[in-house]
Amino acid sequence: MLPFFVKKIFMSIKKPSLNLFDTTLLVAGSMIGSGIFIVSADIARVVGSAGWLLVVWILSGVITLFAALSYGELAGMMPQAGGQFVYIKKAFGDLVAFVYGWTVFLVIQTGVIAAVAVAFAKFTGVFIPFFEEGNVMFQIVDLKITSAQLLAIFIIALLTFINTRGIENGKAIQRIFTSAKLIALFALIIVGIYYGFHSDVFSNNMTNAWDAKGIDNAENGSFKGFTSLSGMSLATALGLAMIGSLFSSDAWNNVTFIAGEVENPKRNIPLGLFFGVCIVTLIYVLANVAYLCLLPLEGSANAQTVAEQGIMFAQKDRVGTAALFLVFGDIAKYLMAALIMISTFGCNNGLILAGSRLFQSMAKDGLFFKKAATLNKFNVPSNAMIFQGIWASLLCLSGSYGDLLDYCTFSSLIFYIITIAGLFVLRKKMPDADRPYKAFGYPVIPALYIVLTTLICVDLLVYKTFNCGMGLLIIALGVPVYFMFKRSKNASSEA
């Protein structure tokens, strides 16, 4: 039997529409997965100081907010399902829009769904050892299928099924799980900062807060020491460090995909983007302050205790678990595992709910499988959702979702740049269009976003050439596929 408060939430949902509260939760819920509990370790190893660790998270939040403020104008102009796909189509035409949708389907949306589902499964292993990472169920040639991968596929299938039964279900899950993880995160931040300020850990971390240094590895990859960073080397390190924080701040644009089911979208989508991004940025910065209150930044690669390992060398990069251990002891791993399970479950619900509307919009234009355009009896694009779920499940089995995250983060940044460039194009092409909300700080803030993000992309392309090159290859492969869909569409119209 469902608890009373859960029943009340479900019963209060009368119509298939999302209000401002729901759009804000969709933005925040889609952004917060497992990244905030893990990626700070890698960032700390790249920039090497407490001050620059916080700067990376603040910069990522500011850059994301710049993008969200710019998207607000586009969302107000074109409040239709499909969101970013529609904006790019209006500004640059079918080809660029299709290549975007293709990349979203192939790696951006489905790759993130797969990675988040696997994260859920891995942390389920904390409670149920059967789902721990190395438990291989069977092997097909060189492909090993683990129990965690199978659980990840089950979670994708479950959330896909629930969302095919109507938007009310997905909306209720989003309300419950996003509210729960926001409350839990704020509680853990308060506890961490409270306990931390009763020690000298934070002050010690901030003593040399701006002495940036990167890890110097020996030829065999072992830790050798630190190298001081300044000038261009520091700028390069910041760009590389931001790959993790930007990924953790991604998926905020998912709310634009589902614009057709938002009440008063011209108002609620821009506001939902603003509130959602601000809430998540605040949580991320405060979470890192809490980490710095409890754990030394540097630590030691060969240390045995959690405190001695510090943020840089936290076991399996699980900084959140390490920080809580110092407050709650051994129970910390269960508390953090439960929080990450709640977080990733709610995150994937938002991704699955919103992503299908993008593919539905593409199918309506003849740029995706025809069946994806149809709605079921619950007025939901169930076929588009199923296609999305099947591909995401295959990515779970591939075991390559880690690399896919690098590919899709780089690809996402490219399409964010293109979309915001479209803001300038549409100001010229459609000067008289109704713009209930105009981009804050135009043209300075949108232009600044394009410049900063382009510099980050160049940085990544130089220092992570293979992964970024693979991202560009995936984007390029969309061009011939586009002409295949166009040929099929023309053949159908002539028949």
Side-chain angles (χ1 to χ4, degrees):
M1 181 162 302
L2 288 173
F4 173 76
F5 76 94
V6 175
K7 280 186 178 179
K8 191 171 182 181
I9 290 176
F10 273 89
M11 291 172 62
S12 67
I13 301 169
K14 303 290 186 182
K15 54 186 179 180
S17 56
L18 306 172
N19 57 29
L20 177 58
F21 178 67
D22 296 312
T23 57
T24 301
L25 288 185
L26 183 59
V27 172
S30 297
M31 290 174 73
I32 303 173
S34 59
I36 183 58
F37 309 110
I38 298 169
V39 300
S40 289
D42 184 62
I43 295 171
R45 289 193 293 268
V46 174
V47 297
S49 76
W52 291 113
L53 170 69
L54 294 176
V55 165
V56 167
W57 284 102
I58 293 169
L59 273 178
S60 297
V62 169
I63 289 172
T64 302
L65 184 59
F66 281 179
L69 291 171
S70 299
Y71 271 52
E73 176 173 324
L74 298 169
M77 284 177 66
M78 295 166 277
Q80 301 126 313
Q84 194 168 344
F85 170 78
V86 176
Y87 314 155
I88 294 175
K89 182 182 174 185
K90 288 284 187 182
F92 300 108
D94 284 356
L95 175 58
V96 180
F98 173 82
V99 171
Y100 165 70
W102 154 269
T103 310
V104 169
F105 180 75
L106 211 62
V107 292
I108 294 176
Q109 195 80 0
T110 50
V112 174
I113 289 171
V116 172
V118 170
F120 175 92
K122 286 179 179 178
F123 283 92
T124 302
V126 172
F127 295 100
I128 307 173
F130 177 76
F131 294 113
E132 285 182 351
E133 289 181 66
N135 184 18
V136 177
M137 300 297 293
F138 51 89
Q139 185 170 344
I140 305 171
V141 191
D142 292 330
L143 181 63
K144 295 180 180 179
I145 309 299
T146 68
S147 56
Q149 289 171 316
L150 295 178
L151 177 59
I153 291 170
F154 171 76
I155 290 301
I156 292 171
L158 174 64
L159 285 170
T160 297
F161 173 75
I162 291 171
N163 278 282
T164 60
R165 310 302 288 177
I167 192 173
E168 295 90 344
N169 294 334
K171 175 176 166 180
I173 289 174
Q174 204 63 25
R175 284 185 173 184
I176 295 167
F177 281 84
T178 302
S179 298
K181 70 181 171 184
L182 289 176
I183 292 168
L185 273 166
F186 275 118
L188 291 175
I189 287 167
I190 291 168
V191 169
I193 292 175
Y194 173 79
Y195 275 85
F197 273 125
H198 285 75
S199 70
D200 57 0
V201 176
F202 184 77
S203 59
N204 289 339
N205 279 327
M206 299 307 291
T207 299
N208 299 304
W210 307 108
D211 293 343
K213 49 189 177 295
I215 285 181
D216 185 15
N217 288 327
E219 289 184 7
N220 63 1
S222 62
F223 174 66
K224 194 167 81 174
F226 294 99
T227 302
S228 181
L229 301 173
S230 61
M232 279 305 298
S233 64
L234 176 57
T236 298
L238 289 173
L240 292 173
M242 287 176 68
I243 189 80
S245 55
L246 285 172
F247 170 72
S248 300
S249 303
D250 204 1
W252 52 269
N253 61 321
N254 272 242
V255 73
T256 68
F257 300 160
I258 201 167
E261 293 168 84
V262 174
E263 292 176 359
N264 191 8
K266 294 182 177 183
R267 170 184 177 272
N268 288 339
I269 292 180
L271 286 176
L273 284 166
F274 175 76
F275 291 137
V277 170
C278 285
I279 289 168
V280 172
T281 299
L282 177 64
I283 285 174
Y284 283 180
V285 173
L286 290 177
N288 279 276
V289 171
Y291 297 158
L292 291 168
C293 284
L294 294 167
L295 293 165
L297 183 89
E298 285 186 22
S300 171
N302 301 314
Q304 298 299 312
T305 68
V306 169
E308 290 172 344
Q309 288 167 345
I311 292 174
M312 282 187 187
F313 302 105
Q315 189 175 21
K316 295 183 180 180
D317 284 355
R318 294 178 180 178
V319 180
T321 303
L324 282 188
F325 177 84
L326 296 178
V327 178
F328 297 106
D330 290 335
I331 198 175
K333 69 176 183 178
Y334 299 105
L335 290 174
M336 185 52 64
L339 176 54
I340 291 177
M341 288 172 68
I342 291 170
S343 182
T344 50
F345 192 85
C347 177
N348 248 357
N349 179 73
L351 295 171
I352 290 168
L353 169 69
S356 58
R357 272 65 177 184
L358 167 61
F359 309 129
Q360 176 202 11
S361 182
M362 292 176 66
K364 283 182 177 179
D365 289 346
L367 298 175
F368 199 65
F369 305 115
K370 288 182 181 178
K371 288 189 176 181
T374 59
L375 301 176
N376 64 12
K377 64 180 180 179
F378 299 103
N379 205 34
V380 166
S382 54
N383 289 331
M385 213 171 282
I386 290 168
F387 293 149
Q388 172 184 257
I390 290 172
W391 185 247
S393 297
L394 290 173
L395 293 181
C396 287
L397 292 177
S398 73
S400 61
Y401 34 81
D403 291 334
L404 281 169
L405 294 187
D406 275 349
Y407 307 162
C408 73
T409 301
F410 180 75
S411 302
S412 290
L413 291 176
I414 288 175
F415 285 110
Y416 287 145
I417 292 169
I418 290 171
T419 305
I420 293 175
L423 185 66
F424 293 89
V425 172
L426 292 173
R427 286 277 184 120
K428 296 291 185 184
K429 286 177 69 172
M430 303 168 61
D432 299 323
D434 180 32
R435 290 177 170 83
Y437 165 83
K438 290 190 175 181
F440 178 79
Y442 180 90
V444 176
I445 285 181
L448 187 57
Y449 175 86
I450 291 172
V451 170
L452 289 173
T453 310
T454 300
L455 290 173
I456 292 170
C457 285
V458 171
D459 193 13
L460 294 174
L461 196 56
V462 171
Y463 291 95
K464 292 197 171 187
T465 305
F466 178 79
N467 285 349
C468 294
M470 288 298 294
L472 289 174
L473 178 62
I474 290 167
I475 292 171
L477 287 173
V479 176
V481 177
Y482 165 77
F483 288 107
M484 289 171 55
F485 272 104
K486 288 292 285 186
R487 191 179 301 117
S488 174
K489 181 181 178 182
N490 293 336
S492 298
S493 61
E494 291 171 3

